[in-house]
Amino acid sequence: MSALLQVQGLAVRYGAVAALHGIDFDVHEGEILTLLGSNGAGKSTTLRAISGMIRPSSGTIRFDGRDITGLPAHEIVGLGIAHAPEGRGIFGPLTVDENLRLGAFARKDPAGVASDRERVFALFPRLAERIHQVSGTLSGGEQQMLAIGRAMLARPRLLLLDEPSLGLAPQVVATIFRILREIHAGGTTILLVEQNASMALATAQRGAVLEVGRIVLQGAASDLAASDDVRRAYLGVH
Amino acid sequence: MTRVLQTLMDGVAVGSTYALIALGYTMVYGILRFINFAHSDIFMLGAWFSFSLAGVFGWTLAGATPPPWAAVVVLLGAMSGTAVLGYAIERVAYRPLRSAPRINVLIAAIGVSLLIENIGQLPIAFGTQPQRMPSLLPDAVLFEVSGVSIRLVDTLVIGIALGLMAALEWLIYGTRLGLAMRAVSTDAQTAALMGVPVDRVVSATFAVGSALAAAAGFLYASKYPGINQPAHATWILLGLKAFVAAVVGGIGNVRGAMAGGLLIGMVEIFGAAYLSPHLRDVYVFALLILVLLVRPAGLLGRATVEKV
């Protein structure tokens, strides 16, 4: 397996506060890697730095061998990295259809977009039913489906997902994770940030644990799930 | 009855120019959450660009007979001129302050406004004398009943203004650029994640808003041909009324600005005709206070809770 995404010495500061103190990790082509950690550990910051929403203070990010550090967000999505951000980032006053069209905004292949739309509707039939609805009126689960479906319309090679389970009922979370596995089976590499560590480790092949801006543990998902530290801190096992 | 009809025509004509200016305030606010106080100067420049362009063709000379296409040339010329200028102002004065506190941008806008007014008064620009706009729009009395006439020029002013508003409506709801504008106005950061080039969308917004203000300047000068000198207080007052229109309609809301402009124009002109012409500004600002008391977010605006 080759590294699709290489993060080296990534450091991010918000003013005087350091959010990431130089972290290193790779995401391999075709895997699901999950980033675990408590609130404020720097998980979302990592995703935001990769997708270009924030500029790292040092370090490099390589995607498919190319240095993308500091590129503006609207160019990075065109290279094949889609980010479904924290809080879903739905354009509430816009319709489901308009949100989906924005997902494909950077693309210039209408035929490919049309077939990807069909695929998204196959994954999330609910979105097809609500296509002309104003998206702010969707339920939380539907909004999360829209966020993921919209990200898929960029036809990403790497999908960044920030807390897709947040605030959703357990049944809906199970549906979302089932669909993530389908998306992964379709060949999309996924970098998944989650608070729900048991779901995330059951879905991912590998994981990394962030604590206050540093990676403290990295390895196969099954090893992490079996590790005493992880079990105590993130799986609620004493 | 005919007097009502004529007042209505005047109200719609003035109101639609307010609406065109209000659109620029509201679009910029919608995208950057900032009031562009230099916008009334863009409106003023629209009138003066129109006059100067007519002068270039010799249509301002006494006895000149401008061809029927003169209005088209002057209108499009003035609109292009302010579009380029609006783009440049955003690029030079506002973009470097994008991450600065909003008050800094506001002060920069006041600076731009003073700069435009003072450069405008230079002899190489427009000077300090008022001028008379030649009548480029054809005029005739369409019909007349008991001394009250409905004029062609009013009809054309209204037609052009409504046409431009329809074009804007199509731009915002029917094109890719419009979709990008609405996305940026909802959440600029997430719009960038979708691949929307936010800076270019902001530039386009300034260019479109400025072009509409220039159209308002041309139409206003066509209806009221006396063009005051660039730093005259009437420009600020007209711009301020258009801003009131944007707030009354719901700042940030495009259809609200159109409705607000027409409403403000009607209230002003009907008040002037049937109550007292001396209090026409009072009606406008009284309406503002009333709307702010009853619906603080404006007639078509949605109340929003500031996120903390």
Side-chain angles (χ1 to χ4, degrees):
Chain A
M1 276 194 193
S2 60
L4 182 61
L5 184 82
Q6 287 175 290
V7 174
Q8 285 167 336
L10 179 67
V12 174
R13 310 185 65 87
Y14 292 113
V17 185
L20 289 177
H21 303 269
I23 61 168
D24 302 286
F25 68 95
D26 291 348
V27 183
H28 299 154
E29 178 105 59
E31 76 172 346
I32 300 180
L33 175 77
T34 180
L35 278 182
L36 303 175
S38 52
N39 278 330
K43 307 183 302 288
S44 295
T45 300
T46 306
L47 296 192
R48 291 159 73 86
I50 295 168
S51 65
M53 289 175 90
I54 47 175
R55 211 169 247 280
S57 50
S58 63
T60 56
I61 302 165
R62 285 175 185 283
F63 179 65
D64 201 18
R66 175 178 169 181
D67 188 350
I68 61 163
T69 322
L71 281 185
H74 70 266
E75 288 180 23
I76 289 178
V77 62
L79 299 176
I81 300 180
H83 182 179
E86 193 178 14
R88 303 170 195 137
I90 294 302
F91 298 103
L94 276 55
T95 63
V96 170
D97 177 56
E98 288 169 334
N99 270 278
L100 292 175
R101 275 160 54 201
L102 281 160
F105 195 86
R107 293 176 61 181
K108 296 189 170 52
D109 56 327
V113 172
S115 76
D116 285 356
R117 263 176 88 99
E118 291 312 313
R119 182 159 169 245
V120 165
F121 291 148
L123 288 170
F124 303 106
R126 198 74 68 84
L127 294 182
E129 291 163 22
R130 315 238 146 156
I131 191 74
H132 295 301
Q133 192 168 327
V134 170
S135 59
T137 62
L138 298 177
S139 72
E142 289 163 347
Q143 288 193 9
Q144 188 59 58
M145 293 175 190
L146 178 55
I148 297 172
R150 188 179 66 178
M152 288 308 292
L153 277 174
R155 191 177 278 183
R157 288 177 65 195
L158 174 63
L159 178 62
L160 311 178
L161 291 174
D162 200 341
E163 306 258 15
S165 76
L166 194 71
L168 301 182
Q171 268 182 320
V172 183
V173 173
T175 310
I176 298 267
F177 272 86
R178 176 177 57 74
I179 292 166
L180 287 189
R181 279 190 285 268
E182 276 183 49
I183 289 172
H184 173 243
T188 309
T189 308
I190 298 176
L191 174 52
L192 171 68
V193 158
E194 252 306 333
Q195 293 256 348
N196 187 335
S198 56
M199 274 302 234
L201 287 173
T203 309
Q205 285 79 52
R206 292 194 310 132
V209 179
L210 269 171
E211 263 174 28
V212 285
R214 290 191 174 79
I215 289 184
V216 293
L217 209 57
Q218 232 180 125
S222 51
D223 293 347
L224 288 180
S227 135
D228 284 345
D229 288 344
V230 172
R231 287 163 65 89
R232 241 193 321 275
Y234 304 108
L235 297 176
V237 183
H238 293 279
Chain B
M1 184 58 214
T2 43
R3 185 170 174 223
V4 174
L5 190 59
Q6 189 181 25
T7 312
L8 188 71
M9 287 291 281
D10 281 342
V12 176
V14 171
S16 54
T17 57
Y18 286 156
L20 288 177
I21 309 170
L23 285 166
Y25 281 113
T26 225
M27 286 167 71
V28 166
Y29 182 86
I31 288 202
L32 294 180
R33 301 289 181 273
F34 130 80
I35 305 297
N36 179 15
F37 273 111
H39 194 60
S40 63
D41 299 288
I42 300 290
F43 162 61
M44 175 275 286
L45 285 177
W48 275 98
F49 281 176
S50 302
F51 173 79
S52 307
L53 202 56
V56 169
F57 288 96
W59 296 325
T60 52
L61 299 172
T65 47
W69 45 267
V72 179
V73 171
V74 167
L75 176 63
L76 293 182
M79 286 175 77
S80 321
T82 57
V84 171
L85 195 70
Y87 167 84
I89 289 171
E90 191 275 326
R91 203 60 201 259
V92 173
Y94 303 150
R95 189 173 300 179
L97 299 173
R98 192 66 57 77
S99 52
R102 220 157 291 165
I103 189 81
N104 299 20
V105 196
L106 215 62
I107 293 168
I110 294 170
V112 169
S113 167
L114 291 173
L115 195 68
I116 293 176
E117 286 167 23
N118 286 286
I119 291 176
Q121 290 180 89
L122 292 176
I124 54 152
F126 312 120
T128 55
Q129 292 306 309
Q131 296 288 354
R132 195 167 176 79
M133 182 77 188
S135 18
L136 301 181
L137 291 177
D139 195 10
V141 175
L142 284 182
F143 57 93
E144 188 171 337
V145 189
S146 53
V148 179
S149 52
I150 299 303
R151 307 195 67 90
L152 177 61
V153 66
D154 287 342
T155 318
L156 286 173
V157 165
I158 294 169
I160 293 170
L162 295 183
L164 286 170
M165 284 187 250
L168 181 74
E169 184 83 8
W170 168 77
L171 175 78
I172 290 181
Y173 294 99
T175 69
R176 202 174 124 83
L177 174 61
L179 181 64
M181 282 175 167
R182 286 183 289 139
V184 171
S185 132
T186 310
D187 179 351
Q189 273 204 321
T190 306
L193 281 184
M194 305 291 111
V196 174
V198 175
D199 279 338
R200 262 190 279 162
V201 171
V202 171
S203 291
T205 306
F206 270 86
V208 170
S210 301
L212 292 175
F218 169 80
L219 296 175
Y220 198 84
S222 297
K223 182 162 171 55
Y224 302 108
I227 310 177
N228 280 310
Q229 68 118 317
H232 199 278
T234 49
W235 297 116
I236 309 281
L237 186 61
L238 289 167
L240 200 58
K241 284 183 193 162
F243 173 60
V244 166
V247 173
V248 162
I251 188 91
N253 184 314
V254 167
R255 287 168 185 167
M258 297 180 189
L262 288 169
L263 181 65
I264 291 287
M266 297 287 204
V267 166
E268 178 180 348
I269 299 296
F270 270 89
Y274 289 91
L275 298 172
S276 160
H278 304 293
L279 295 175
R280 54 195 297 165
D281 302 338
V282 175
Y283 311 135
V284 170
F285 294 105
L287 178 71
L288 173 68
I289 294 170
L290 190 71
V291 168
L292 288 181
L293 284 175
V294 182
R295 278 187 70 94
L299 296 177
L300 300 186
R302 247 178 312 208
T304 51
V305 180
E306 192 78 21
K307 271 184 236 158
V308 280

